[in-house]
Amino acid sequence: RTRRSHALSALRALLAASRNGGARPCGVMPEGGVGRRRGKGMPAKEAKERKRGGTRAGDAEYFWEYVLILPDETRAAEFDSLLRKLNRLGGELGLKFQKLAAGTRPAIRAGASLEGLSRQAEQLVFLKPVAPAYSEDVKAAAVGPESPACRPFIHDARSEYAGWGTRDFFSPSERVILVHSLLYRLEETGKDGVSRSLIPQLLHEERLETLFPPHDRETANSLLKQAMLESEKSDSGSGSDGQRVSLRLARLLFAPVDAIERYYGSSVAFYFAWLDFFTAWALVPAAVGFLLWYFRGEGRTVDDSPRIPLFSVFVIFWSALFLKYWERHACVLACKWGTLDTEKREDVRPQFHGATRISPVTGRKELHFGFQRRAPRYLLSVCVTLVMLAVAVAVMCVFLNLEGYVHKDSPAYIKQAAIYAEPGSVFDPNIEDATLWQSIIGLIPVVSHSLVILMLNNIYRVVAEWLTDLENHRLENEHENSLIIKRFLFEAFDCYIALFYIAFYELDPISLRKELVGLYTVDSMRRIVCECLLPMGIQRLTQCFSGVSRADGYASRKKDDDFQDDPINTRALEDISLDEYEQFDDYLEMVIEFGYITLFASAFPLASALSVLCNFIELKSDMFKLALICQRPHAHRARNIGIWQNIMYTIFYVSIMSNCFLFGFTTEQMMVWIPSWFQIVDEVQWDGSQQKDQAFAAGKGRYVVFMVFALEHLLLLAATLIFAVIPSTPGWVRIDIARRDFEREEAVRKLHLVRVKSRAPSSAAGGILTD
């Protein structure tokens, strides 16, 4: 009896310790706990603030973050069967699925419990701030300016993190990421014995039409107001008048990147951060280019200005520093947002097929598709792309003839089109004292060329997706990168081929500048019309012709007995008809603009100034599009802008060659610097007239060629030295990464010791009780 009474006392003490956490080192909460006890050394004031700060969230409460839309023809029995399967597979992961009344569409809402989110956050290595009571254990917490007292999240030590148990512990974008990753962890084994993710498989089999996270309209509208300078936050705070003006100017030109990351995720936030960084850095060449244009001298043009070559060299060094310092800035942002050590997505595509084999890594069955089988498909992609590029070249030739840029001796000359640009014709580009109407008519070929390019890009988009699907990539990341490269090559070719023809075949820098100005103007107008005004107009017309507004549809569904009175029903009903957000087009526009600035710097010094204006328009239109035109995008964790960084490096290296060739062969800039290597000759034009032009002096052509290629190699060497000398990762970020890795290892080691110690008494007590 004595031994049994001692055992019962020990068991009661152990149970009491598990309830109140009083005997648990590191503040480990019992399974299912949501709060945080007032630990040793925690101030009473902080405990009170924690008690009333924010809405408490229990483990049994679900966060409904996703909506799954099924096809209209889905039968009720099939719907119920799928709903039961999802709940059966998702129960172990903390997922829950419920029928959702989203208009007339069969839909399911998906949510996860706080415990499910917590365990998945540990799997994804989320970084969360440590509570003040435990922050003294975090070594060197303030290494850098963007380094808070954070450490990788550990589920068993969740009570040690600031804000644990409140609904806002995970940000809106983090909740979307966690629920999305949990959805893709739902697996079922096929007839071939290979486990596949259920959600992608349902999408592939068209049993699931789409899934998306509904908008939180209050947050989305608040972000839009901040971007449009209509935020409710006042600028009349502390600080001098100059500081308040600077703050307001910054809010006018730049996006609220941190707020975007919190709501849309780091993948979208990195685009806006890059756009802000690009705009800020473009102010420097914009100012230099404007001064160069203002003090160009009387009778000087870009063709014969002695200062333009210096500006070209300046732009090359500027772009090298821009690319390198953007890498550093991206590392700072990734460290700040806790995504620096984010691994690439390894999601297997449901469309992937191949031979079944045993994985040499996991020992499980998997599908394999070797390079030998994929190589012919790569060859087909190349051939089809070349055919499409040939079509783009033919279209380019037609419109260049309409604009009067092609002479009769050129292989690109098309008489049927060129006659409209001859003197006195409808598109004559050399009309003196042209009226407003004649100027407008003269823009028709430029505008038509841009519209035809847009149409070709849409056609090739479908072709590129088909070719990329045919290549049968295993991972989503590989598929996405291959598609981006194909589409960028075609669309960049469409944008740049006419400029390269004018610059290096026609050798006409004046026409090159004219074409650049036209492209900038038309492209800016296209962005506003195609990305904002046209989609919104289509939505309004659809509502008018259907006769049912969103509010009416919501009211009619509220009468349905199956309608669940929850805000996600309203949000899903509003968002289901919106367009899907595609980030490719946003990046493409900005990267093409970067090429305009760098590839033809010596032909158009004001390109950077126009870019600042275009970027301002782009920022506002993109925020407007995200908030009102498009569905809320899937939030993904990103550490940088991905393959677009490599594309910009490629453009940079090509810009060194193009500017050197413009300096030596296209313009008269080298002749201004070294006149003894050139001579002025009378050149017979295609229309029979004579015009004075530069030519190499006798025996000096080889010197010009040597100078061009020597300058190109020197600039390449200088750029290589810049990239080698300036580290991509700031020193304090490297230290912070090492510190976080150390803290995670220490936390895991402490938890292991706690578990070992907690198991020893219970085993002893269990042995006494069974005696």
Side-chain angles (χ1 to χ4, degrees):
R1 286 197 301 271
T2 303
R3 287 187 304 179
R4 187 165 297 180
S5 64
H6 285 307
L8 289 173
S9 300
L11 183 59
R12 292 191 189 100
L14 191 63
L15 291 174
S18 67
R19 289 192 189 98
N20 58 27
R24 291 178 179 267
C26 298
V28 178
M29 291 293 294
E31 192 67 26
V34 297
R36 188 188 68 156
R37 66 180 176 85
R38 180 183 169 188
K40 183 179 180 180
M42 181 184 293
K45 181 179 179 181
E46 183 196 341
K48 292 180 181 178
E49 290 176 353
R50 291 268 302 162
K51 185 175 180 180
R52 65 172 181 264
T55 305
R56 307 299 294 179
D59 283 348
E61 184 178 356
Y62 285 86
F63 296 86
W64 305 100
E65 300 294 339
Y66 260 88
V67 172
L68 287 66
I69 305 298
L70 280 67
D72 290 333
E73 59 272 11
T74 304
R75 297 190 301 270
E78 185 180 357
F79 181 93
D80 295 337
S81 175
L82 177 60
L83 186 60
R84 287 193 299 270
K85 177 190 286 188
L86 290 172
N87 278 307
R88 175 172 53 82
L89 296 176
E92 297 180 356
L93 300 175
L95 287 172
K96 190 174 183 179
F97 300 87
Q98 291 181 351
K99 182 179 179 180
L100 179 67
T104 59
R105 306 294 302 277
I108 297 172
R109 70 172 182 174
S113 64
L114 182 60
E115 182 176 353
L117 297 178
S118 173
R119 294 188 181 278
Q120 187 64 13
E122 181 177 358
Q123 293 289 326
L124 298 182
V125 198
F126 273 28
L127 289 176
K128 303 301 290 183
V130 181
Y134 304 98
S135 60
E136 65 269 11
D137 296 332
V138 181
K139 306 293 191 299
V143 176
E146 305 291 349
S147 177
C150 295
R151 73 178 180 203
F153 183 78
I154 299 175
H155 173 74
D156 289 339
R158 53 195 181 277
S159 59
E160 296 185 10
Y161 295 89
W164 168 255
T166 62
R167 290 189 59 86
D168 295 331
F169 179 74
F170 293 113
S171 68
S173 65
E174 287 176 337
R175 294 198 298 267
V176 170
I177 291 170
L178 293 172
V179 174
H180 183 270
S181 60
L182 285 172
L183 288 173
Y184 274 70
R185 283 183 60 188
L186 298 174
E187 291 185 351
E188 66 174 355
T189 304
K191 296 179 180 179
D192 54 1
V194 178
S195 295
R196 294 180 176 87
S197 180
L198 178 61
I199 297 298
Q201 196 66 28
L202 292 174
L203 291 169
H204 176 58
E205 296 173 356
E206 297 183 354
R207 295 164 58 194
L208 180 64
E209 188 172 299
T210 186
L211 72 160
F212 61 89
H215 267 296
D216 180 352
R217 284 297 163 196
E218 183 179 353
T219 306
N221 292 337
S222 175
L223 285 174
L224 182 60
K225 287 181 179 180
Q226 291 183 50
M228 299 298 179
L229 207 62
E230 297 177 3
S231 176
E232 296 177 359
K233 296 180 180 179
S234 175
D235 294 329
S236 59
S238 60
S240 63
D241 293 338
Q243 291 175 338
R244 287 196 295 271
V245 170
S246 300
L247 178 61
R248 190 169 181 83
L249 182 61
R251 286 179 48 205
L252 176 66
L253 293 177
F254 305 122
V257 176
D258 289 329
I260 292 173
E261 188 277 332
R262 182 171 176 81
Y263 179 65
Y264 290 111
S266 55
S267 179
V268 175
F270 262 116
Y271 163 72
F272 284 98
W274 178 78
L275 180 58
D276 285 350
F277 196 82
F278 182 28
T279 303
W281 274 66
L283 291 171
V284 178
V288 176
F290 178 79
L291 292 175
L292 190 65
W293 170 81
Y294 187 78
F295 296 104
R296 63 188 181 278
E298 182 137 6
R300 291 287 188 182
T301 66
V302 296
D303 192 23
D304 57 3
S305 173
R307 302 187 185 95
I308 290 292
L310 299 178
F311 178 75
S312 301
V313 174
F314 167 77
V315 169
I316 289 173
F317 280 100
W318 168 86
S319 55
L321 293 172
F322 163 74
L323 292 174
K324 199 62 182 179
Y325 275 95
W326 162 249
E327 283 191 25
R328 292 172 61 87
H329 185 60
C331 285
V332 171
L333 292 177
C335 185
K336 178 181 180 181
W337 296 335
T339 61
L340 191 59
D341 53 354
T342 299
E343 298 180 358
K344 293 182 179 179
R345 285 183 292 154
E346 296 291 327
D347 299 333
V348 178
R349 298 177 62 245
Q351 299 88 344
F352 176 71
H353 59 272
T356 304
R357 71 168 187 177
I358 301 298
S359 171
V361 178
T362 63
R364 301 170 60 186
K365 286 186 178 181
E366 68 173 8
L367 298 177
H368 177 69
F369 194 83
F371 179 76
Q372 295 80 3
R373 298 178 61 185
R374 188 175 288 118
R377 306 186 182 202
Y378 282 142
L379 182 60
L380 178 62
S381 295
V382 172
C383 294
V384 173
T385 303
L386 289 177
V387 172
M388 294 295 297
L389 292 179
V391 173
V393 171
V395 170
M396 179 268 300
C397 291
V398 171
F399 282 100
L400 287 183
N401 278 274
L402 288 174
E403 295 175 55
Y405 291 145
V406 183
H407 57 77
K408 291 183 178 179
D409 296 333
S410 171
Y413 180 76
I414 302 175
K415 182 179 180 180
Q416 292 79 1
I419 57 175
Y420 294 102
E422 291 180 353
S425 298
V426 62
F427 298 138
D428 181 11
N430 300 316
I431 299 178
E432 296 183 1
D433 301 327
T435 62
L436 177 62
W437 179 247
Q438 289 174 327
S439 300
I440 294 175
I441 292 177
L443 290 176
I444 291 178
V446 179
V447 176
S448 301
H449 191 193
S450 299
L451 294 177
V452 172
I453 286 176
L454 182 62
M455 182 184 68
L456 287 176
N457 290 341
N458 290 332
I459 295 173
Y460 186 72
R461 172 182 177 178
V462 178
V463 175
E465 290 175 351
W466 173 72
L467 291 173
T468 310
D469 287 337
L470 192 65
E471 292 170 1
N472 192 31
H473 294 280
R474 178 176 177 269
L475 301 179
E476 290 285 359
N477 187 61
E478 296 172 350
H479 178 88
E480 182 181 344
N481 288 341
S482 179
L483 181 60
I484 288 175
I485 291 174
K486 288 185 183 67
R487 290 188 60 189
F488 175 78
L489 284 177
F490 183 80
E491 300 196 22
F493 185 85
D494 264 353
C495 293
Y496 295 142
I497 184 62
L499 300 175
F500 275 98
Y501 173 83
I502 296 171
F504 302 119
Y505 189 86
E506 295 294 337
L507 303 179
D508 190 349
I510 306 301
S511 297
L512 176 62
R513 180 178 60 179
K514 178 183 176 182
E515 187 71 9
L516 277 169
V517 173
L519 286 173
Y520 262 102
T521 305
V522 173
D523 196 49
S524 298
M525 295 173 60
R526 180 194 61 80
R527 292 178 192 176
I528 299 174
V529 174
C530 295
E531 295 183 4
C532 296
L533 299 182
L534 187 60
M536 175 162 281
I538 292 174
Q539 289 180 16
R540 294 291 185 266
L541 287 175
T542 303
Q543 292 174 7
C544 290
F545 283 112
S546 63
V548 179
S549 65
R550 293 178 182 174
D552 294 336
Y554 173 65
S556 64
R557 292 303 304 173
K558 249 189 117 113
K559 299 176 182 178
D560 193 342
D561 293 338
D562 294 333
F563 189 89
Q564 297 163 352
D565 191 11
D566 192 281
I568 197 171
N569 293 276
T570 309
R571 290 185 282 157
L573 188 63
E574 290 177 347
D575 296 351
I576 193 171
S577 61
L578 299 180
D579 296 331
E580 185 178 350
Y581 174 69
E582 185 179 11
Q583 202 173 40
F584 172 85
D585 292 329
D586 292 337
Y587 270 117
L588 176 69
E589 292 164 355
M590 293 297 97
V591 173
I592 292 293
E593 186 179 285
F594 175 76
Y596 288 151
I597 295 175
T598 56
L599 291 171
F600 309 102
S602 61
F604 190 31
L606 293 177
S608 299
L610 280 178
S611 292
V612 173
L613 178 61
C614 291
N615 289 359
F616 174 78
I617 298 173
E618 182 73 15
L619 170 64
K620 307 304 179 183
S621 65
D622 285 344
M623 289 297 299
F624 182 83
K625 176 177 65 176
L626 269 173
L628 300 178
I629 304 299
C630 296
Q631 293 177 355
R632 183 180 177 183
H634 301 285
H636 295 295
R637 304 181 75 207
R639 57 185 302 174
N640 48 39
I641 60 175
I643 197 171
W644 294 104
Q645 183 79 16
N646 300 330
I647 291 175
M648 285 195 295
Y649 271 106
T650 303
I651 291 176
F652 165 73
Y653 285 117
V654 175
S655 71
I656 293 178
M657 294 183 286
S658 64
N659 281 287
C660 289
F661 288 178
L662 285 171
F663 170 65
F665 304 133
T666 301
T667 67
E668 299 177 0
Q669 296 166 6
M670 184 181 287
M671 186 177 69
V672 174
W673 282 75
I674 313 176
S676 60
W677 289 2
F678 298 88
Q679 60 182 350
I680 303 298
V681 296
D682 292 328
E683 183 176 316
V684 179
Q685 303 298 306
W686 60 271
D687 57 357
S689 61
Q690 289 190 349
Q691 182 177 343
K692 294 187 179 298
D693 199 358
Q694 69 173 9
F696 299 143
K700 302 297 184 180
R702 55 187 174 180
Y703 297 135
V704 175
V705 174
F706 174 79
M707 174 66 74
V708 168
F709 283 96
L711 180 61
E712 176 205 0
H713 281 65
L714 287 175
L715 290 174
L716 285 172
L717 178 61
T720 303
L721 290 176
I722 289 175
F723 296 151
V725 170
I726 302 176
S728 300
T729 306
W732 70 264
V733 174
R734 294 195 296 269
I735 295 174
D736 195 69
I737 294 172
R739 190 261 305 170
R740 290 175 179 178
D741 291 340
F742 171 77
E743 289 298 330
R744 179 175 176 80
E745 293 174 0
E746 285 291 298
V748 171
R749 183 181 65 82
K750 290 179 181 180
L751 283 174
H752 178 69
L753 292 176
V754 169
R755 289 168 179 169
V756 171
K757 291 179 180 179
S758 64
R759 282 198 298 266
S762 61
S763 300
I768 294 172
L769 288 171
T770 56
D771 187 11

